[in-house]
Amino acid sequence: AQSVTQPDARVTVSEGASLQLRCKYSSSVTPYLFWYVQYPRQGLQLLLKYYSGDPVVQGVNGFEAEFSKSNSSFHLRKASVHWSDSAVYFCAVTSGGSNAKLTFGKGTKLSVKS
Amino acid sequence: GGIITQTPKFLIGQEGQKLTLKCQQNFNHDTMYWYRQDSGKGLRLIYYSITENDLQKGDLSEGYDASREKKSSFSLTVTSAQKNEMAVFLCASSRDSGNTLYFGEGSRLIVV
């Protein structure tokens, strides 16, 4: 079984500040990990994904995430947020394979104050 | 590029009514999904399909039916709509089940 925990339901930061959104996963095998973003009244869009290799992965719009096997974490970071980053961010995990399901966390709502 | 089209954007029905949501994709993806999104609960998988005419139950399949008659389309039926089922339903597709998902904009179900 696999699961994802996003411990912060809401995060508020000031424009220009740095950001970290936390994600902890549980998986019986080496996971594939994803961060998706959902802007108001839209579907989800992929920010970045980790399959293997370098534990720090770069995504769109200056986002990056770091995979830690020892901590079972995949935290999302951005050095300087913009008001347009306000959205809901979802972490997701799958075991891969031909019939694997993607399990999502409950999401973290990010509000950026200008 | 491609697109996922969900219809209708808003579906209003009465309690006990059978209601159907439709999803079309032009990515030529094999795998399609239906998720339910409730505020504060994230996304929960209802049904998915790894190929035409295949159906796999997700974690929330009770009270729902699905149909994948063509590779490009995947429909979801609420068999007897209840007021506690009001939510946003998201359709997605991927090349295979371990890969990136592409989402539609969602369909909101309203039960009166």
Side-chain angles (χ1 to χ4, degrees):
Chain A
Q2 60 197 23
S3 65
V4 175
T5 301
Q6 293 180 249
D8 305 308
R10 292 174 182 270
V11 169
T12 300
V13 297
S14 297
E15 195 166 24
S18 63
L19 170 72
Q20 176 172 277
L21 300 182
R22 295 182 292 165
C23 171
K24 299 273 284 184
Y25 69 89
S26 169
S27 176
S28 55
V29 298
T30 302
Y32 295 172
L33 294 155
F34 302 80
W35 276 99
Y36 285 85
V37 60
Q38 185 178 34
Y39 298 104
R41 292 172 298 283
Q42 293 186 27
L44 279 69
Q45 303 168 34
L46 181 72
L47 269 182
L48 48 78
K49 60 187 176 186
Y50 172 79
Y51 286 168
S52 64
D54 188 338
V56 179
V57 290
Q58 304 296 322
V60 297
N61 296 336
F63 285 94
E64 67 174 30
E66 183 166 5
F67 167 67
S68 170
K69 189 173 181 179
S70 59
N71 292 327
S72 297
S73 67
F74 190 55
H75 301 328
L76 182 70
R77 303 189 295 236
K78 187 170 184 179
S80 175
V81 297
H82 188 262
W83 64 267
S84 60
D85 293 324
S86 297
V88 181
Y89 292 79
F90 292 94
C91 183
V93 64
T94 181
S95 59
S98 60
N99 206 21
K101 296 187 292 186
L102 190 63
T103 299
F104 285 85
K106 293 185 179 181
T108 297
K109 184 171 183 178
L110 173 67
S111 299
V112 179
K113 300 184 301 184
S114 55
Chain B
I3 191 167
I4 306 253
T5 303
Q6 291 187 234
T7 55
K9 275 195 182 324
F10 295 91
L11 181 55
I12 302 172
Q14 295 185 327
E15 264 197 309
Q17 195 174 357
K18 191 176 188 178
L19 300 167
T20 298
L21 300 168
K22 294 187 186 292
C23 176
Q24 295 269 346
Q25 54 99 357
N26 63 359
F27 288 98
N28 199 32
H29 283 162
D30 286 319
T31 307
M32 296 186 74
Y33 310 79
W34 275 107
Y35 284 91
R36 173 174 158 168
Q37 184 175 22
D38 296 272
S39 180
K41 291 187 180 176
L43 277 69
R44 291 181 287 176
L45 183 64
I46 306 172
Y47 267 98
Y48 67 110
S49 166
I50 61 174
T51 189
E52 189 176 321
N53 293 319
D54 173 73
L55 290 175
Q56 310 273 346
K57 290 184 178 182
D59 302 317
L60 203 65
S61 60
E62 191 169 330
Y64 300 94
D65 285 330
S67 173
R68 181 98 183 267
E69 292 172 1
K70 290 192 302 185
K71 185 175 182 178
S72 61
S73 66
F74 194 30
S75 60
L76 180 73
T77 297
V78 181
T79 55
S80 176
Q82 303 298 317
K83 286 192 175 174
N84 63 4
E85 278 178 303
M86 290 200 286
V88 174
F89 291 81
L90 292 168
C91 177
S93 73
S94 66
R95 196 176 68 213
D96 56 54
S97 57
N99 221 307
T100 301
L101 268 63
Y102 294 85
F103 284 84
E105 293 191 343
S107 296
R108 182 172 290 278
L109 175 66
I110 299 167
V111 182
V112 297

